[in-house]
Amino acid sequence: MRLCIVYDTRREHGATKRIVEWMAEEAGRMGVQVDVRRPWEVEDFNYDFFIVGSPVYWEKPMATMIGFLADHSGELAGRKVAVFIVCLANVFGKLTSGYVKKRYLDPLIRRVSGVLVASTALKGWVRKADAKQEENCRKWVRKVIEEAST
């Protein structure tokens, strides 16, 4: 099985990049062939499924990720796709879950032309990696791979 994780970030050593690394490691442990790409690096769409993710800046996902999904709707049509965002809003718990979905996840989800397998919001951090988020990330990737395999 082949997976392409597509993401963008403004911080090369930030939470989003680390989360993507955890996803790739976990998928590799499950025997999945993983390629990690930035949106402008994706030239081949011959993958079994895609995970597309973005950090949230200024109350919205990055335009490069929304654009990636919109610009490649033809190539992604019929393919299995999972979507994630990384934000700090999760620190407020379940009170913000509706807002996070509507404001941050839905702009990506609405542009998925393929089969949406899963979506999630992962909590970012500013200075030190969050071990709980590593556990949540790895668990979510296992779930996505299981769903995409069916």
Side-chain angles (χ1 to χ4, degrees), residues 42-54:
V42 180
E43 296 174 1
D44 175 15
F45 286 84
N46 191 25
Y47 291 91
D48 297 303
F49 65 107
F50 288 81
I51 294 177
V52 177
S54 174

Side-chain angles (χ1 to χ4, degrees), residues 3-136:
L3 162 66
C4 186
I5 301 174
V6 186
Y7 80 103
D8 202 0
T9 187
R10 291 183 183 156
R11 295 178 57 223
E12 287 304 316
H13 301 288
T16 304
K17 184 170 183 178
R18 187 67 189 126
I19 285 169
V20 167
E21 289 169 354
W22 291 333
M23 288 181 182
E25 287 170 10
E26 194 63 27
R29 287 182 186 152
M30 296 179 72
V32 175
Q33 179 187 339
V34 183
D35 290 325
V36 175
R37 302 277 186 258
R38 301 294 280 273
W40 56 87
E41 297 172 336
V42 180
E43 296 174 1
D44 175 15
F45 286 84
N46 191 25
Y47 291 91
D48 297 303
F49 65 107
F50 288 81
I51 294 177
V52 177
S54 174
V56 171
Y57 291 110
W58 303 105
E59 287 294 299
K60 54 188 167 189
M62 291 184 73
T64 53
M65 297 316 302
I66 292 170
F68 173 80
L69 290 167
D71 294 345
H72 297 289
S73 62
E75 293 96 331
L76 294 169
R79 300 207 184 271
K80 294 179 181 181
V81 179
V83 173
F84 75 93
I85 54 107
V86 178
C87 67
L88 291 172
N90 287 350
V91 299
F92 300 108
K94 295 190 184 231
L95 293 173
T96 58
S97 62
Y99 180 84
V100 167
K101 182 181 183 319
K102 181 179 180 181
R103 184 79 177 171
Y104 305 151
L105 276 169
D106 282 354
L108 294 171
I109 290 171
R110 282 194 305 268
R111 287 165 181 86
V112 172
S113 58
V115 178
L116 183 66
V117 174
S119 64
T120 195
L122 297 164
K123 187 177 110 186
W125 58 85
V126 177
R127 290 189 175 95
K128 185 179 176 195
D130 184 339
K132 179 68 175 167
Q133 290 314 301
E134 179 177 2
E135 179 184 326
N136 291 343

